Amino acid sequence: MSIFRSTRASIAVDIAMEAGNIAKHWYDSAHYRVDAKADGSPVTQADLEVETYMRTALREHFPDDGVLGEEFGDSPGSTGYRWILDPIDGTKSFVRSVPLYANLIALERDGEILFGAINLPSAGVLIHAERGGGCWRNGMPTQVSRHDRLDGAHVMATWLEDWQPATISELTSQGVVLRTWGDAYGYAMVASGHADAVVDYTAREYDLAPMPVIIEEAGGRFTSLAGERSFQRGTGVASNGILHESVLKLVSQAI
């Protein structure tokens, strides 16, 4: 099986890796400006520099493609392709020197995600997938777990503040192991078979865009908490597929 099916996917992986080099430079130096956005979330020099680089590189290779990025908004294109960028997913982790931040890039056409990449430069993990081409972790094929019961299932969350206490109690009473290794890292864990599900009660399309193709090409399932196969509903659930309905039934009670 070839690691790439299209030129766009190959170039996108190169861009994600260089974006990671830029982010890791700032992460390792630990000297950068941190500002607050209107919603109170942090944005750093690294976020801005990484997205600037990604946009510039995409414009050089695919000048007529659209680009949507977290920091600089929407730049419409004319080809029907749109790139969706999160320069640093997990900025709160980044500024506290937690090495689980990621660079995210996805390619969309006609509402379908064709390609996605999660680059975790300080963790040394790169996961990417192209529709019909499988999911790859550090150059090797990767798959979701085959765990088939809630007892012993590892479920990731970015944070638990959004969870209803009754939901947490119900999951743990059935033997589910809850861990807050969230953001893109949680999805990477599911795609690699190291976790069985991840739940996002609050997420934006920049955070979720790569996940449908990555999780599905790894053999799993991705939906919103309402069960829709969409990354644009502000919520996300990814699983190994086997446990999806069981997890979804419990975690969707709070919406």
Side-chain angles (χ1 to χ4, degrees):
M1 181 185 295
S2 172
I3 196 168
F4 297 118
R5 302 178 73 243
S6 72
T7 300
R8 276 184 169 82
S10 177
I11 290 173
V13 167
D14 289 341
I15 291 172
M17 292 176 67
E18 181 56 29
N21 291 336
I22 297 169
K24 191 173 185 299
H25 165 77
W26 284 107
Y27 177 86
D28 290 342
S29 72
H31 295 291
Y32 44 80
R33 188 182 70 254
V34 182
D35 297 315
K37 298 182 185 181
D39 64 1
S41 62
V43 59
T44 72
Q45 287 175 274
D47 293 87
L48 302 177
E49 185 173 329
V50 169
E51 185 167 325
T52 297
Y53 159 73
M54 295 172 87
R55 285 176 171 270
T56 299
L58 288 169
R59 189 164 54 247
E60 289 175 354
H61 289 286
F62 312 112
D64 298 320
D65 287 0
V67 179
L68 174 65
E70 179 178 6
E71 308 305 338
F72 297 114
D74 191 17
S75 300
S78 59
T79 63
Y81 289 100
R82 182 174 71 151
W83 298 93
I84 304 175
L85 312 175
D86 190 343
I88 297 182
D89 179 75
T91 301
K92 290 179 181 178
S93 294
F94 184 89
V95 300
R96 299 301 294 180
S97 297
V98 177
L100 303 183
Y101 65 92
N103 320 111
L104 306 182
I105 183 169
L107 178 63
E108 176 193 34
R109 187 172 188 181
D110 299 327
E112 181 81 2
I113 298 297
L114 305 179
F115 167 85
I118 301 170
N119 186 33
L120 297 141
S122 291
V125 175
L126 171 64
I127 292 180
H128 61 86
E130 187 175 11
R131 191 66 64 187
C135 187
W136 302 79
R137 182 184 189 275
N138 291 351
M140 298 294 293
T142 190
Q143 293 184 328
V144 296
S145 77
R146 303 304 299 167
H147 193 82
D148 62 357
R149 59 193 182 280
L150 288 175
D151 187 19
H154 281 62
V155 177
M156 308 290 104
T158 299
W159 50 70
L160 291 176
E161 289 92 334
D162 295 331
W163 292 54
Q164 294 291 331
T167 301
I168 296 173
S169 178
E170 179 67 21
L171 286 166
T172 55
S173 72
Q174 297 198 45
V176 171
V177 181
L178 287 175
R179 290 291 181 268
T180 52
W181 295 328
D183 296 317
Y185 183 69
Y187 291 93
M189 293 274 284
V190 173
S192 301
H194 301 308
D196 306 300
V198 60
V199 179
D200 265 326
Y201 275 102
T202 305
R204 301 154 301 176
E205 57 184 320
Y206 322 103
D207 306 315
L208 298 177
M211 308 316 170
V213 66
I214 286 174
I215 297 299
E216 289 170 6
E217 288 296 319
R221 185 177 171 196
F222 175 90
T223 69
S224 71
L225 266 80
E228 303 164 302
R229 188 175 172 269
S230 173
F231 66 95
Q232 296 174 315
R233 298 293 187 258
T235 62
V237 179
S239 76
N240 65 2
I242 303 169
L243 295 175
H244 201 87
E245 290 300 329
S246 297
V247 171
L248 193 63
K249 180 180 179 181
L250 294 173
V251 301
S252 64
Q253 294 173 358
I255 64 171

